[in-house]
Amino acid sequence: MAAAAVAMVFGTAGLAQANSDLHIVQGAEVTIPPATGSFAGNAAATATCPAGETLTGGGANVTAGNSYTQNYQLASSLPNGNQQWWAYATNMDPNAPGKLRAYAICAKVSNVDVVTAP
């Protein structure tokens, strides 16, 4: 199987002060069903930090079900609150399902600053 898309986002230095090492939490792998007619198959996946830890970044991986990797698209990969990473993918291949997995980068932090873009 070929990887169709990968996206990882890491927190910006200074936004979170970690008291311990960062670690990656791997969410459950979910199946992206095959397309039906002109409708893409779609799936969402999450990875959640353990209690007491804060999300500092994350990402997702889509694995194609066959050699036509262009049919499998990572459509969205973003934080969902301060403990979970959420990802969404689509599959236009009518013959083969794909796989989607989300990853959360977690750490115990002493301070989290909220930054608003100008």
Side-chain angles (χ1 to χ4, degrees):
M1 292 186 179
V6 177
M8 293 294 280
V9 178
F10 294 92
T12 304
L15 294 181
Q17 297 172 352
N19 290 332
S20 63
D21 293 332
L22 296 172
H23 65 276
I24 297 174
V25 174
Q26 179 175 284
E29 185 175 70
V30 298
T31 299
I32 313 166
T36 304
S38 61
F39 296 99
N42 57 69
T46 60
T48 304
C49 294
E53 295 192 17
T54 300
L55 180 73
T56 62
N61 184 60
V62 174
T63 304
N66 62 29
S67 62
Y68 301 107
T69 60
Q70 68 273 13
N71 290 327
Y72 304 84
Q73 301 295 318
L74 179 61
S76 187
S77 177
L78 53 102
N80 181 21
N82 65 357
Q83 280 195 287
Q84 186 177 74
W85 197 266
W86 180 85
Y88 177 81
T90 61
N91 176 9
M92 286 304 298
D93 188 326
N95 301 311
K99 299 290 182 184
L100 170 65
R101 187 182 302 265
Y103 300 87
I105 303 169
C106 309
K108 291 185 181 184
V109 297
S110 60
N111 183 34
V112 176
D113 295 326
V114 176
V115 177
T116 303

